[in-house]
Amino acid sequence: MPRIAVLGLGRFGYTLATELAARKAEVIAVDHSPTIVEQIKDNVDLAVRLDATDELALRSQKIDEVDIAIVAIGGNFESALLATTILNSLEIPQIICRARTKFHAEIFKRIGASQVIQPEKQAGEEMARKLALPHLRDLIPLEEGFSLIELDAPGSFVGKSLLELKLRETYNLNLVGIRNMPVKDEDAEDGEGIDEAPRIMSVPKPHDIINSGDTLYIVGPDARLAQLPRE
C-alpha cells in the first residue's frame, strides 16, 4: 500500500486521512492543532503537529519519502501554496491539492500539483446528477464533460430493443454494457431456474431487449447524459 501524507486536518483532511488508514494505506497526518492531532492519532500510522510550510519539519518526519502528499489546507491559501511548492521541491511523486475555486486550482497546477480536487464543487455536481437522474448508481468521469454512468433501466426503456431506443441518434450516447437481472423459468419450481449471479453483456446487440431491473452502462457527454429519462 502507498505511504501517504495528509497536510491539513480540517473536516475534509481528517475524513480523508482516517478513510485512507481504514483501507490499510500508511498515513502520516499533519496539522498545527494539537487538539486535532490528538484526536486522530489512534486512527492513522503517525499524527504529528508541525507547520506544513516548514521544510525542515517536514523532512524530520520523512514526508520527503512518501509516495503521495495531499495538501488539504483549506483555510489559508497562502500556506497551501507554500506547502505545495515545498513538496514539489522534495520531489514527491504525486501531489494532490484541495482547491476552493477554479482560480486556485489553476495556480496549484502551475506550481507543481499533479492533481487538483474541489470537494465542494464535486459534491454539488454529484448531488445535481443524482437529483436529475434518480436511477443513477455510479458515475466515472472519463475527461472534462464526458462520463460513463451506471444506472437502473428507466421504465420507458423497458421492453424495447437497442434498435428501438436509438440512444445514439436521440441522445448522442452509447450503451456499452448491460447487467441483466437473473430470469426465472416460469416452469421451474420455486427457488430453481435462476442464475446464481447477474450476467454481463459487454457488447449489447441491436435486438437485445431491456428488461425491468437491468443495469445499463452508458457513455457520452455529461450534457446528454443529463437528458436521459428520469423514470
Side-chain angles (χ1 to χ4, degrees), residues 98-112:
R98 175 196 181 187
R100 290 185 176 275
T101 68
K102 184 177 181 180
F103 177 68
H104 288 178
E106 288 298 324
I107 295 176
F108 279 126
K109 290 177 183 177
R110 292 183 184 183
I111 64 173

Side-chain angles (χ1 to χ4, degrees), residues 7 30 50-61 63 73 79 82-83 86-87 90:
L7 282 60
V30 174
L50 58 80
D51 182 355
T53 64
D54 185 334
E55 181 176 345
L56 291 178
L58 293 175
R59 286 184 181 274
S60 71
Q61 300 300 325
I63 302 299
I73 302 170
S79 294
L82 183 53
I86 293 172
L87 292 169
L90 296 177

